[in-house]
Amino acid sequence: MTSRPIVTLNGVTKTYGHFTALHETNLELNEGEFVTLLGPSGCGKTTTLRLVGGFEQANSGTVTIAGSDVTTSPPYRRPVNTVFQDYALFPHMTVAENVGYGLSVKSNNVPRAERANRVEQALALVGLEAFGSRRPGALSGGQRQRVAMARAIVRRPRVLLLDEPLSALDVKLRESMQVELKRLHRELGITFLMVTHDQDEALALSDRIVVMQQGRIVQTGAPTDLYDNPRTTYVADFIGASNLFPATLQSRSKDTEAFTLQNGLILKRERIAGQADVAACPGTRVQLGIRPERLRLDPVAGANEIEARVVDSLFHGDRVRLEFTLVDDTKPFFADVPRAAARYFALEPGSPVKLHVEPRDVMFFLEEAR
Ligand SMILES: Nc1ncnc2c1ncn2[C@@H]1O[C@H](COP(=O)(O)OP(=O)(O)OP(=O)(O)O)[C@@H](O)[C@H]1O
């Protein structure tokens, strides 16, 4: 993948009346990248997508696509196309007519003879070559979604915008469409910008995830970067799950730190070279984060030991989600353990257990408890 930007948002702000939906935002999408805008409802994902697509106009800042300033250009003058959440197919047209519609619009000027070819190619790409003569009403949800994809790619955009493209599908279908989407991205080699509030989908599909909060980008990075090195508790909790423990920094050396939890327990943390680090001095109140899958029941050499009590256990097939409280504490926290490992321990509600977490798996945030 090259790292040439195809889309650049430079200081883009979008307001609706007195409300700012997007605060002075900078974002670059590279050629061929699969980028996902991720965040809870109302954080500004769709607004950002619509600004790239030309469905919204920025109040300030510039939008550049493929080297041209398109800040005030309408959607049809931008080399982008959009797959909408509700597919927006014409029910009275056949699948092939739906897909070809964009090509027959004057602004595209695609010769009639070539149109049929392009429609055929686009339908083949989404595995619907045999469905061209059907009407959308005679298709399943997944097939309708594919038609919407075919219609968006038939004009050969440089950038494909996807607004929650899989949200109308049930879980199983959604998973298989995720694989399709990834394949399509590989085959087309163009830039995808997708909006989702589903973190699993973002982690599975993206080259890069842009996490948004209240109209601002709070962190961007490859899925593994964001998962392993979230900068804030918000990101830690949105990408994966995190147990958060209010604590006080007790001591710090070049390689390790020690924190005291509210119940007096001391946890060591390894400072890992290259990870974002935050300046703090002993006495600073912080939040520690531990991923549920990093808490182990079996002892590990050099690991922190955490005394806890079982509150509940939920069976999830190949793993068990265990709920605990710390000694002298009431706030619940969770561990996800493989079912095979859980069976060797007494895990009835009320049982005391010792949990273990390696110092390298303790995350540290310079934030007070919310
Ligand atoms: N046309 C509009 N007029 C007024 N406010 C709007 C308009 N469009 C969006 N907003 C507001 O801007 C904020 C961001 O909206 P946006 O649709 O970008 O959020 P989102 O992150 O995509 O959320 P969702 O996941 O629910 O679609 C929201 O508070 C929304 O109410």
Side-chain angles (χ1 to χ4, degrees):
M1 188 199 312
T2 65
S3 56
R4 256 182 319 152
I6 177 92
V7 176
T8 306
L9 299 190
N10 194 353
V12 171
T13 297
K14 178 67 195 169
T15 57
Y16 296 108
H18 293 299
F19 178 75
T20 304
L22 198 66
H23 297 266
E24 230 184 297
T25 292
N26 299 314
L27 176 66
E28 274 191 354
L29 311 181
N30 294 322
E31 294 258 21
E33 240 190 334
F34 195 137
V35 178
T36 300
L37 301 170
L38 179 68
S41 184
C43 70
K45 309 179 293 289
T46 306
T47 300
T48 307
L49 192 91
R50 290 173 65 81
L51 284 159
V52 176
F55 303 105
E56 300 286 354
Q57 297 269 304
N59 295 85
S60 61
T62 56
V63 180
T64 309
I65 303 181
S68 303
D69 184 334
V70 295
T71 313
T72 56
S73 306
Y76 62 88
R77 291 216 181 279
R78 302 181 182 210
V80 304
N81 225 335
T82 308
V83 180
F84 295 99
Q85 199 169 355
D86 58 2
Y87 315 150
L89 301 176
F90 298 117
H92 60 286
M93 289 186 186
T94 65
V95 165
E97 284 163 353
N98 263 285
V99 174
Y101 180 76
L103 297 176
S104 58
V105 181
K106 256 201 199 124
S107 59
N108 275 297
N109 238 348
V110 177
R112 183 178 280 274
E114 202 196 320
R115 273 186 233 157
N117 265 342
R118 288 239 221 142
V119 168
E120 221 167 278
Q121 277 173 13
L123 284 175
L125 262 169
V126 298
L128 285 184
E129 49 277 70
F131 292 78
S133 55
R134 285 218 197 157
R135 289 192 197 280
L139 298 177
S140 70
Q143 289 166 336
R144 278 202 286 272
Q145 211 284 335
R146 285 164 202 254
V147 178
M149 294 289 302
R151 192 181 50 181
I153 58 183
V154 76
R155 284 174 53 197
R156 301 189 179 152
R158 305 279 303 271
V159 181
L160 189 64
L161 305 176
L162 303 125
D163 187 2
E164 304 248 10
L166 309 182
S167 64
L169 308 177
D170 66 49
V171 179
K172 276 265 178 250
L173 190 54
R174 202 174 167 137
E175 280 171 7
S176 69
M177 285 305 292
Q178 286 176 1
V179 176
E180 288 283 303
L181 210 55
K182 193 138 185 167
R183 178 189 60 78
L184 201 59
H185 175 250
R186 234 185 351 254
E187 284 178 15
L188 291 171
I190 61 173
T191 305
F192 277 27
L193 178 62
M194 182 175 82
V195 160
T196 184
H197 57 256
D198 179 337
Q199 49 138 315
D200 284 337
E201 195 161 289
L203 288 170
L205 295 178
S206 322
D207 294 316
R208 205 152 52 99
I209 299 175
V210 175
V211 185
M212 300 188 68
Q213 181 181 20
Q214 293 178 357
R216 289 192 166 84
I217 293 174
V218 287
Q219 193 169 354
T220 67
T224 48
D225 288 346
L226 290 184
Y227 194 86
D228 293 340
N229 198 13
R231 244 181 261 144
T232 60
T233 54
Y234 174 84
V235 178
D237 212 31
F238 211 83
I239 307 276
S242 280
N243 296 301
L244 293 174
F245 301 96
T248 307
L249 178 61
Q250 196 185 50
S251 64
R252 174 177 248 193
S253 71
K254 192 168 133 290
D255 305 319
T256 56
E257 287 156 335
F259 297 89
T260 316
L261 267 51
Q262 282 175 334
N263 72 348
L265 180 74
I266 293 179
L267 283 187
K268 286 172 292 176
R269 170 180 178 266
E270 188 178 319
R271 299 178 73 183
I272 298 169
Q275 278 195 351
D277 213 342
V278 265
C281 51
T284 306
R285 287 152 63 92
V286 302
Q287 292 277 328
L288 297 182
I290 301 176
R291 301 257 182 224
E293 75 275 14
R294 299 294 182 196
L295 281 166
R296 300 170 58 148
L297 291 163
D298 49 323
V300 187
N304 290 292
E305 190 177 271
I306 301 172
E307 284 191 53
R309 204 165 278 285
V310 178
V311 176
D312 210 346
S313 110
L314 299 174
F315 177 59
H316 283 284
D318 60 342
R319 67 186 169 87
V320 181
R321 167 153 283 206
L322 298 165
E323 184 182 337
F324 302 100
T325 51
L326 292 175
V327 173
D328 296 333
D329 201 302
T330 53
K331 192 179 152 203
F333 66 99
F334 301 91
D336 286 329
V337 296
R339 186 183 176 198
R343 68 165 66 116
Y344 299 109
F345 297 86
L347 298 169
E348 291 76 39
S351 306
V353 283
K354 287 197 169 80
L355 297 165
H356 306 89
V357 62
E358 295 192 55
R360 57 164 43 238
D361 291 329
V362 177
M363 302 184 288
F364 155 43
F365 305 102
L366 200 53
E367 292 169 44
E368 296 223 0
R370 277 170 290 181

mmCIF file of all heavy atoms in Angstrom, residues 16 19-21 39-48 56 85 163-164 195 197, ligand 1:
data_model
loop_
_atom_site.group_PDB
_atom_site.id
_atom_site.type_symbol
_atom_site.label_atom_id
_atom_site.label_comp_id
_atom_site.label_asym_id
_atom_site.label_seq_id
_atom_site.Cartn_x
_atom_site.Cartn_y
_atom_site.Cartn_z
ATOM 1 N N TYR A 16 -24.355 22.765 13.124
ATOM 2 C CA TYR A 16 -25.775 22.822 12.789
ATOM 3 C C TYR A 16 -26.363 23.842 13.762
ATOM 4 O O TYR A 16 -26.472 23.542 14.951
ATOM 5 C CB TYR A 16 -26.450 21.461 12.989
ATOM 6 C CG TYR A 16 -25.920 20.372 12.073
ATOM 7 C CD1 TYR A 16 -25.124 19.355 12.569
ATOM 8 C CD2 TYR A 16 -26.235 20.366 10.715
ATOM 9 C CE1 TYR A 16 -24.656 18.347 11.732
ATOM 10 C CE2 TYR A 16 -25.764 19.362 9.871
ATOM 11 C CZ TYR A 16 -24.982 18.354 10.392
ATOM 12 O OH TYR A 16 -24.513 17.366 9.562
ATOM 13 N N PHE A 19 -24.939 24.150 17.357
ATOM 14 C CA PHE A 19 -24.311 22.886 17.747
ATOM 15 C C PHE A 19 -23.156 22.535 16.809
ATOM 16 O O PHE A 19 -23.307 22.547 15.583
ATOM 17 C CB PHE A 19 -25.364 21.767 17.725
ATOM 18 C CG PHE A 19 -24.806 20.419 18.058
ATOM 19 C CD1 PHE A 19 -24.473 20.099 19.368
ATOM 20 C CD2 PHE A 19 -24.599 19.471 17.056
ATOM 21 C CE1 PHE A 19 -23.945 18.852 19.676
ATOM 22 C CE2 PHE A 19 -24.070 18.218 17.371
ATOM 23 C CZ PHE A 19 -23.749 17.921 18.678
ATOM 24 N N THR A 20 -22.000 22.230 17.396
ATOM 25 C CA THR A 20 -20.846 21.846 16.568
ATOM 26 C C THR A 20 -20.774 20.323 16.495
ATOM 27 O O THR A 20 -20.480 19.673 17.494
ATOM 28 C CB THR A 20 -19.535 22.430 17.145
ATOM 29 O OG1 THR A 20 -19.707 23.847 17.235
ATOM 30 C CG2 THR A 20 -18.348 22.124 16.248
ATOM 31 N N ALA A 21 -21.055 19.771 15.320
ATOM 32 C CA ALA A 21 -21.035 18.313 15.148
ATOM 33 C C ALA A 21 -19.621 17.820 14.896
ATOM 34 O O ALA A 21 -19.276 16.686 15.224
ATOM 35 C CB ALA A 21 -21.941 17.905 13.994
ATOM 36 N N GLY A 39 -17.257 5.069 16.769
ATOM 37 C CA GLY A 39 -17.622 5.838 17.964
ATOM 38 C C GLY A 39 -19.098 5.656 18.247
ATOM 39 O O GLY A 39 -19.840 5.134 17.409
ATOM 40 N N PRO A 40 -19.546 6.101 19.422
ATOM 41 C CA PRO A 40 -20.954 5.926 19.785
ATOM 42 C C PRO A 40 -21.852 6.851 18.976
ATOM 43 O O PRO A 40 -21.372 7.770 18.294
ATOM 44 C CB PRO A 40 -20.981 6.300 21.268
ATOM 45 C CG PRO A 40 -19.819 7.199 21.451
ATOM 46 C CD PRO A 40 -18.784 6.784 20.458
ATOM 47 N N SER A 41 -23.138 6.617 19.070
ATOM 48 C CA SER A 41 -24.118 7.410 18.346
ATOM 49 C C SER A 41 -23.935 8.899 18.642
ATOM 50 O O SER A 41 -23.736 9.293 19.792
ATOM 51 C CB SER A 41 -25.516 6.955 18.785
ATOM 52 O OG SER A 41 -26.471 7.626 18.042
ATOM 53 N N GLY A 42 -23.937 9.696 17.599
ATOM 54 C CA GLY A 42 -23.878 11.148 17.777
ATOM 55 C C GLY A 42 -22.479 11.730 17.868
ATOM 56 O O GLY A 42 -22.320 12.931 18.072
ATOM 57 N N CYS A 43 -21.427 10.920 17.691
ATOM 58 C CA CYS A 43 -20.062 11.442 17.867
ATOM 59 C C CYS A 43 -19.546 12.157 16.623
ATOM 60 O O CYS A 43 -18.473 12.751 16.646
ATOM 61 C CB CYS A 43 -19.105 10.334 18.287
ATOM 62 S SG CYS A 43 -18.795 9.160 16.960
ATOM 63 N N GLY A 44 -20.278 12.073 15.505
ATOM 64 C CA GLY A 44 -19.866 12.823 14.319
ATOM 65 C C GLY A 44 -19.339 11.972 13.173
ATOM 66 O O GLY A 44 -18.802 12.511 12.196
ATOM 67 N N LYS A 45 -19.515 10.650 13.249
ATOM 68 C CA LYS A 45 -18.997 9.757 12.197
ATOM 69 C C LYS A 45 -19.666 10.040 10.853
ATOM 70 O O LYS A 45 -19.002 10.243 9.850
ATOM 71 C CB LYS A 45 -19.273 8.277 12.554
ATOM 72 C CG LYS A 45 -18.827 7.858 13.921
ATOM 73 C CD LYS A 45 -19.172 6.403 14.176
ATOM 74 C CE LYS A 45 -20.658 6.077 14.269
ATOM 75 N NZ LYS A 45 -21.337 6.555 15.466
ATOM 76 N N THR A 46 -21.007 10.016 10.871
ATOM 77 C CA THR A 46 -21.733 10.196 9.618
ATOM 78 C C THR A 46 -21.498 11.586 9.051
ATOM 79 O O THR A 46 -21.359 11.764 7.839
ATOM 80 C CB THR A 46 -23.239 9.945 9.844
ATOM 81 O OG1 THR A 46 -23.368 8.659 10.437
ATOM 82 C CG2 THR A 46 -24.016 9.965 8.554
ATOM 83 N N THR A 47 -21.432 12.570 9.922
ATOM 84 C CA THR A 47 -21.147 13.934 9.474
ATOM 85 C C THR A 47 -19.813 13.964 8.724
ATOM 86 O O THR A 47 -19.704 14.568 7.648
ATOM 87 C CB THR A 47 -21.103 14.891 10.691
ATOM 88 O OG1 THR A 47 -22.376 14.833 11.329
ATOM 89 C CG2 THR A 47 -20.780 16.304 10.286
ATOM 90 N N THR A 48 -18.806 13.296 9.257
ATOM 91 C CA THR A 48 -17.485 13.267 8.608
ATOM 92 C C THR A 48 -17.594 12.606 7.236
ATOM 93 O O THR A 48 -17.072 13.116 6.234
ATOM 94 C CB THR A 48 -16.472 12.501 9.497
ATOM 95 O OG1 THR A 48 -16.497 13.087 10.802
ATOM 96 C CG2 THR A 48 -15.070 12.549 8.940
ATOM 97 N N GLU A 56 -22.721 17.225 2.802
ATOM 98 C CA GLU A 56 -22.688 18.341 3.753
ATOM 99 C C GLU A 56 -21.563 19.269 3.334
ATOM 100 O O GLU A 56 -20.580 18.822 2.755
ATOM 101 C CB GLU A 56 -22.391 17.856 5.189
ATOM 102 C CG GLU A 56 -23.377 16.890 5.772
ATOM 103 C CD GLU A 56 -24.695 17.535 6.171
ATOM 104 O OE1 GLU A 56 -24.801 18.783 6.102
ATOM 105 O OE2 GLU A 56 -25.618 16.777 6.534
ATOM 106 N N GLN A 85 -26.865 3.173 4.358
ATOM 107 C CA GLN A 85 -27.325 2.213 5.353
ATOM 108 C C GLN A 85 -28.583 1.459 4.891
ATOM 109 O O GLN A 85 -28.705 0.264 5.081
ATOM 110 C CB GLN A 85 -27.642 3.006 6.614
ATOM 111 C CG GLN A 85 -27.693 2.216 7.860
ATOM 112 C CD GLN A 85 -27.747 3.140 9.077
ATOM 113 O OE1 GLN A 85 -27.658 4.358 8.955
ATOM 114 N NE2 GLN A 85 -27.889 2.559 10.233
ATOM 115 N N ASP A 163 -21.743 3.768 4.789
ATOM 116 C CA ASP A 163 -22.387 4.251 6.009
ATOM 117 C C ASP A 163 -23.102 3.097 6.705
ATOM 118 O O ASP A 163 -24.203 2.731 6.309
ATOM 119 C CB ASP A 163 -23.384 5.359 5.645
ATOM 120 C CG ASP A 163 -23.962 6.034 6.873
ATOM 121 O OD1 ASP A 163 -23.560 5.673 8.003
ATOM 122 O OD2 ASP A 163 -24.815 6.915 6.702
ATOM 123 N N GLU A 164 -22.461 2.527 7.701
ATOM 124 C CA GLU A 164 -23.022 1.360 8.418
ATOM 125 C C GLU A 164 -23.577 0.341 7.429
ATOM 126 O O GLU A 164 -24.759 -0.028 7.507
ATOM 127 C CB GLU A 164 -24.146 1.817 9.370
ATOM 128 C CG GLU A 164 -23.704 2.878 10.344
ATOM 129 C CD GLU A 164 -23.659 2.383 11.773
ATOM 130 O OE1 GLU A 164 -23.790 1.162 11.987
ATOM 131 O OE2 GLU A 164 -23.465 3.210 12.671
ATOM 132 N N VAL A 195 -18.303 3.900 8.125
ATOM 133 C CA VAL A 195 -18.800 4.323 9.438
ATOM 134 C C VAL A 195 -19.391 3.112 10.143
ATOM 135 O O VAL A 195 -20.151 2.357 9.534
ATOM 136 C CB VAL A 195 -19.911 5.395 9.266
ATOM 137 C CG1 VAL A 195 -20.765 5.501 10.516
ATOM 138 C CG2 VAL A 195 -19.307 6.739 8.931
ATOM 139 N N HIS A 197 -20.562 1.630 14.421
ATOM 140 C CA HIS A 197 -20.385 1.751 15.866
ATOM 141 C C HIS A 197 -20.070 0.378 16.451
ATOM 142 O O HIS A 197 -20.045 0.195 17.653
ATOM 143 C CB HIS A 197 -21.611 2.401 16.529
ATOM 144 C CG HIS A 197 -22.879 1.676 16.259
ATOM 145 N ND1 HIS A 197 -23.803 2.128 15.361
ATOM 146 C CD2 HIS A 197 -23.345 0.514 16.731
ATOM 147 C CE1 HIS A 197 -24.798 1.265 15.290
ATOM 148 N NE2 HIS A 197 -24.547 0.274 16.114
HETATM 149 N N1 LIG B 1 -28.970 17.914 9.897
HETATM 150 C C1 LIG B 1 -28.709 18.041 11.194
HETATM 151 N N2 LIG B 1 -29.229 19.030 11.932
HETATM 152 C C2 LIG B 1 -28.925 19.169 13.234
HETATM 153 N N3 LIG B 1 -28.104 18.346 13.923
HETATM 154 C C3 LIG B 1 -27.556 17.330 13.244
HETATM 155 C C4 LIG B 1 -27.825 17.118 11.838
HETATM 156 N N4 LIG B 1 -27.125 16.036 11.455
HETATM 157 C C5 LIG B 1 -26.451 15.587 12.541
HETATM 158 N N5 LIG B 1 -26.710 16.358 13.614
HETATM 159 C C6 LIG B 1 -26.165 16.203 14.965
HETATM 160 O O1 LIG B 1 -24.755 16.121 14.867
HETATM 161 C C7 LIG B 1 -24.247 15.146 15.774
HETATM 162 C C8 LIG B 1 -23.401 14.152 15.014
HETATM 163 O O2 LIG B 1 -24.261 13.428 14.157
HETATM 164 P P1 LIG B 1 -23.725 12.212 13.269
HETATM 165 O O3 LIG B 1 -24.884 11.739 12.447
HETATM 166 O O4 LIG B 1 -22.500 12.603 12.567
HETATM 167 O O5 LIG B 1 -23.383 11.148 14.396
HETATM 168 P P2 LIG B 1 -22.962 9.622 14.254
HETATM 169 O O6 LIG B 1 -21.723 9.476 15.049
HETATM 170 O O7 LIG B 1 -22.908 9.241 12.833
HETATM 171 O O8 LIG B 1 -24.163 8.904 14.987
HETATM 172 P P3 LIG B 1 -25.020 7.611 14.570
HETATM 173 O O9 LIG B 1 -24.151 6.433 14.861
HETATM 174 O O10 LIG B 1 -26.203 7.678 15.485
HETATM 175 O O11 LIG B 1 -25.390 7.752 13.128
HETATM 176 C C9 LIG B 1 -25.455 14.521 16.468
HETATM 177 O O12 LIG B 1 -25.596 15.118 17.736
HETATM 178 C C10 LIG B 1 -26.604 14.881 15.564
HETATM 179 O O13 LIG B 1 -27.803 15.024 16.307
#
